[in-house]
Amino acid sequence: MLNSDLENKDPIDYPKRNVWIKTFGCQMNYHDTERVLSHLRKLNFLPTDDKNDADLLLFNTCAVRALANMKFYSQLGELKVLKKQKKSNIVIGVLGCISQIEGQELLKKYKHLDFALGTDMVDQIPEVLYRIYSGESKIVLDSFDKTSAYSIETKITHQSPQAFINIMKGCNNFCTYCIVPYTRGREKSRLIKEVVADIQRLVEHNGIAEVTLLGQNVNSFGKENQETFPELLARVNQIAGLRLIRYTTSHPKDLSDELINAHGTLSKLALHLHLPVQSGSNTVLARMNRKYTREAYLDLLARLRDKQKGIVISSDIIVGFPGETDEEYEDTIDLLKQARFDFIFSFKFSKRPGTQAYLMEDHPDDQIKSKRLKKLQDLQLAIQNEIRQEMVGKTMQLLVDGVGKIEGKKKWKGRSSCNRIVHFDGPPEQSVPLLYKWVTVKITSSTALSAQGEFISIC
Ligand code: 5AD
Ligand code: SF4
């Protein structure tokens, strides 16, 4: 039976069941989870937060660092007891990056696991469940999609006006520390016309007003189709009803002049760019196979800031890469001072079997890595605190995306175009619903991580 046949069946044909899903890792995985939930909804599954209530339990896994791996293995182990208690009446499956590279072994090792789906097989979930509920067990689908084209339709299961749009998959870069090229395969892009039609549909029918275009390296989008990322951005910028365009992740080596110009000209492009630098040392960057220097990176920042006034830059940094000397580490500290990032994700190097860095010599010991990470994070918080004081007294537009508690008091929470979080009290008549509205607020105070504001108006 084809997926489409399964999905087109009336949900009433399927018994009501509950699905519990735990997602680890990056936005790509969260996006895949949404896809899976959308397929499952058509098969009469409703999401639940309670494992004990679930008929189907899924893990969407991440292999990028050891910590996420360990959390997954321990939670998977715990489900053995649950399956025993429920007399095997539940189905357990693994998706995502670990499933892609270790699916076969996982099924051999964990007898209570029913299936493993690789990263290219997410859309096969209806077929796999059909087979499982027909009595099959131990299914592994871990091949990569061999077709040359990449074509999908974005699935939305949430109420918010924000949507993640996968524009490409895979990665060809082989940074020496990174497992992603092995778990997600080679780069493949969707066609511009398909992405544009997809977003138009979401704007018209799902109330989407903000999109985040997703790919491991969006700057090499479209290469195989003789299309480019700046061309895509220009087309998406023209979609009526769409307000804000974000994208992630960019590789500095591929950030073209056209893309820098786009930041100066496209009105809907967010005032934020995530541009992972990984290290401030040229010798470490070479060992990481990043193919740019710190000077080239800092030059990109200067040109971006020149083109789009007010753009803020965030980054990823790894400390304790194999062979990282004190001097090399200090180069990263120095780069942090010069780059003045708005925030960073920082990590201790994690040894991933199968990557080139795994085999390198002189791995710094964990104590050194922890010390280096702490010093880096303390410096970044101080820089961040300083940068964010500059917001105080200014007005900002936010998309309200929830309610947070500040010192025990409920406040609205919103995110700015430059990706900063602001908490604020609503208008005096608290009954005015602000969720998912764009509002103007005046910033009254700020810390390194979030700001407080006063509501001015709905905009
Ligand atoms: N160890 C530590 N951090 C890593 N990242 C990727 N692989 C590793 C690894 N082996 C980080 C990089 C990347 C982010 C998503 O995860 O900084 O940009
Ligand atoms: Fe990993 Fe480098 Fe590809 Fe990013 S660009 S996914 S860090 S190999």
Side-chain angles (χ1 to χ4, degrees):
M1 194 179 295
L2 293 171
N3 269 348
S4 52
D5 295 340
L6 289 164
E7 288 186 359
N8 289 337
K9 281 182 88 173
D10 192 320
I12 301 187
D13 292 347
Y14 295 86
K16 271 204 164 72
R17 293 188 179 107
N18 290 332
V19 53
W20 174 93
I21 182 160
K22 170 78 189 165
T23 308
F24 297 91
C26 64
Q27 284 166 333
M28 204 69 81
N29 266 14
Y30 282 87
H31 180 271
D32 286 346
T33 289
E34 193 159 12
R35 253 187 120 62
V36 165
L37 288 176
S38 158
H39 284 304
L40 292 178
R41 182 158 290 177
K42 292 185 181 144
L43 304 184
N44 230 354
F45 281 89
L46 280 181
T48 173
D49 291 336
D50 184 355
K51 282 184 211 161
N52 293 300
D53 251 7
D55 305 286
L56 170 66
L57 293 109
L58 299 173
F59 292 96
N60 195 355
T61 58
C62 169
V64 168
R65 281 173 295 277
L67 194 63
N69 282 33
M70 272 145 46
K71 282 189 192 156
F72 154 65
Y73 285 117
S74 89
Q75 292 196 24
L76 177 61
E78 285 165 21
L79 290 193
K80 196 171 167 182
V81 183
L82 190 72
K83 192 145 181 169
K84 258 199 188 140
Q85 283 166 352
K86 290 219 171 185
K87 301 194 178 62
S88 306
N89 218 0
I90 53 175
V91 172
I92 304 176
V94 182
L95 321 166
C97 290
I98 298 182
S99 186
Q100 178 66 47
I101 45 179
E102 292 174 20
Q104 309 274 359
E105 293 88 70
L106 281 173
L107 280 191
K108 267 190 221 136
K109 195 164 161 204
Y110 296 91
K111 302 288 176 241
H112 58 295
L113 189 59
D114 296 289
F115 68 90
L117 281 188
T119 50
D120 262 5
M121 293 289 138
V122 169
D123 289 327
Q124 303 307 313
I125 189 113
E127 186 205 315
V128 168
L129 287 178
Y130 178 79
R131 287 168 59 186
I132 295 274
Y133 287 116
S134 306
E136 237 184 283
S137 65
K138 303 280 168 198
I139 300 172
V140 184
L141 296 184
D142 59 0
S143 54
F144 283 119
D145 176 9
K146 299 283 188 309
T147 54
S148 55
Y150 174 37
S151 168
I152 55 164
E153 187 180 77
T154 304
K155 314 258 185 201
I156 301 277
T157 58
H158 57 68
Q159 301 300 313
S160 124
Q162 299 153 303
F164 290 109
I165 313 288
N166 241 353
I167 59 165
M168 62 186 298
K169 59 182 177 180
C171 182
N172 293 353
N173 287 318
F174 292 93
C175 302
T176 54
Y177 51 81
C178 187
I179 195 78
V180 168
Y182 309 93
T183 62
R184 297 242 167 209
R186 295 295 70 73
E187 285 172 6
K188 263 188 214 175
S189 306
R190 295 171 68 192
L191 288 170
I192 289 182
K193 66 171 191 254
E194 181 188 289
V195 176
V196 170
D198 200 20
I199 299 176
Q200 254 157 357
R201 176 183 55 86
L202 295 172
V203 171
E204 280 164 29
H205 301 293
N206 298 72
I208 294 302
E210 174 183 323
V211 288
T212 305
L213 308 177
L214 283 183
Q216 301 298 341
N217 175 17
V218 292
N219 305 131
S220 52
F221 167 86
K223 269 189 184 154
E224 70 277 27
N225 306 321
Q226 286 74 52
E227 297 185 330
T228 69
F229 186 56
E231 276 164 29
L232 172 68
L233 285 178
R235 293 282 306 281
V236 175
N237 194 63
Q238 287 167 358
I239 297 177
L242 187 72
R243 277 183 85 138
L244 196 61
I245 308 167
R246 304 182 188 277
Y247 63 86
T248 196
T249 290
S250 287
H251 195 306
K253 82 175 164 56
D254 295 318
L255 203 135
S256 63
D257 291 345
E258 289 77 17
L259 186 54
I260 294 176
N261 283 337
H263 275 274
T265 53
L266 301 182
S267 57
K268 295 179 184 173
L269 217 42
L271 281 172
H272 168 233
L273 177 66
H274 188 64
L275 193 61
V277 64
Q278 313 296 1
S279 168
S281 151
N282 283 338
T283 37
V284 172
L285 286 171
R287 295 206 292 283
M288 288 178 164
N289 191 31
R290 290 291 287 177
K291 300 196 173 100
Y292 54 83
T293 60
R294 62 177 277 140
E295 292 77 18
Y297 182 88
L298 288 169
D299 181 54
L300 285 177
L301 297 198
R303 289 195 287 140
L304 279 159
R305 285 170 170 154
D306 182 48
K307 277 279 179 251
Q308 195 183 25
K309 301 285 172 249
I311 189 173
V312 308
I313 315 277
S314 58
S315 203
D316 291 346
I317 293 183
I318 298 175
V319 297
F321 189 77
E324 186 185 67
T325 62
D326 286 342
E327 292 73 35
E328 287 172 330
Y329 168 71
E330 286 304 325
D331 282 344
T332 299
I333 291 288
D334 183 65
L335 179 121
L336 218 60
K337 291 178 187 160
Q338 293 194 40
R340 293 184 72 77
F341 295 121
D342 202 61
F343 63 90
I344 59 167
F345 297 111
S346 49
F347 313 100
K348 292 194 261 186
F349 168 75
S350 174
K351 219 173 156 182
R352 307 314 301 136
T355 62
Q356 290 179 55
Y358 184 85
L359 302 171
M360 290 180 183
E361 289 176 353
D362 289 336
H363 289 255
D365 72 36
D366 195 56
Q367 257 187 340
I368 295 186
K369 287 195 224 173
S370 298
K371 245 172 101 177
R372 289 183 180 171
L373 187 66
K374 168 96 178 56
K375 180 174 159 187
L376 181 97
Q377 291 176 337
D378 287 348
L379 170 65
Q380 175 58 29
L381 278 181
I383 293 172
Q384 218 162 292
N385 196 28
E386 237 176 73
I387 294 176
R388 298 203 182 187
Q389 294 312 316
E390 293 163 11
M391 293 196 282
V392 178
K394 297 196 174 133
T395 56
M396 272 181 136
Q397 294 193 347
L398 313 172
L399 172 62
V400 181
D401 59 7
V403 178
K405 259 196 178 163
I406 298 291
E407 290 161 5
K409 262 189 81 189
K410 267 193 173 176
K411 300 233 180 196
W412 289 108
K413 180 170 83 58
R415 193 175 284 273
S416 67
S417 160
C418 62
N419 214 23
R420 290 177 181 159
I421 293 169
V422 181
H423 292 95
F424 64 98
D425 284 319
E429 60 286 20
Q430 285 287 348
S431 57
V432 179
L434 293 185
L435 190 62
Y436 302 144
K437 297 247 167 24
W438 258 272
V439 296
T440 305
V441 294
K442 184 170 179 190
I443 306 301
T444 50
S445 67
S446 181
T447 66
L449 299 173
S450 80
Q452 305 278 319
E454 274 170 11
F455 173 81
I456 295 185
S457 60
I458 295 180
C459 52

